[in-house]
Amino acid sequence: GEDAELSPVLFQELESFLSSCRRHQEPVTTGEDGIHALNVAIAAIESYRNRSMVKIFKTYDHPSSGQITKVTV
């Protein structure tokens, strides 16, 4: 098959991720960010299909206190 070309933005994101892995550092974009982006996309589809607003929540874990905060974004 044909080789797919990466967009410059995706290429830069992958380079940043690989650099973080090499340096044993947390990436700029975390797994939690990815999950949130997926939830936004799913909510957009649901909103379109139902023609209604969909609330999106993001959960923040506060390691020092052990509390979890859920906010609408």
Side-chain angles (χ1 to χ4, degrees):
E2 271 185 48
D3 290 337
E5 286 190 37
L6 293 178
S7 73
V9 173
L10 182 56
F11 183 80
Q12 185 178 16
E13 187 175 335
L14 290 172
E15 279 290 317
S16 174
F17 176 76
L18 291 173
S19 177
S20 296
C21 291
R22 285 186 216 108
R23 294 183 178 141
H24 304 284
Q25 297 175 339
E26 186 172 332
V28 174
T29 304
T30 66
E32 287 180 6
D33 295 329
I35 291 170
H36 181 66
L38 179 60
N39 286 334
V40 169
I42 291 169
I45 293 168
E46 182 180 338
S47 177
Y48 175 78
R49 286 182 178 160
N50 297 327
R51 304 222 188 285
S52 64
M53 186 177 5
V54 175
K55 289 186 178 182
I56 303 170
F57 297 96
K58 185 167 183 176
T59 303
Y60 295 93
D61 185 9
H62 304 281
S64 59
S65 66
Q67 293 181 333
I68 296 175
T69 303
K70 190 174 183 180
V71 296
T72 305
V73 292

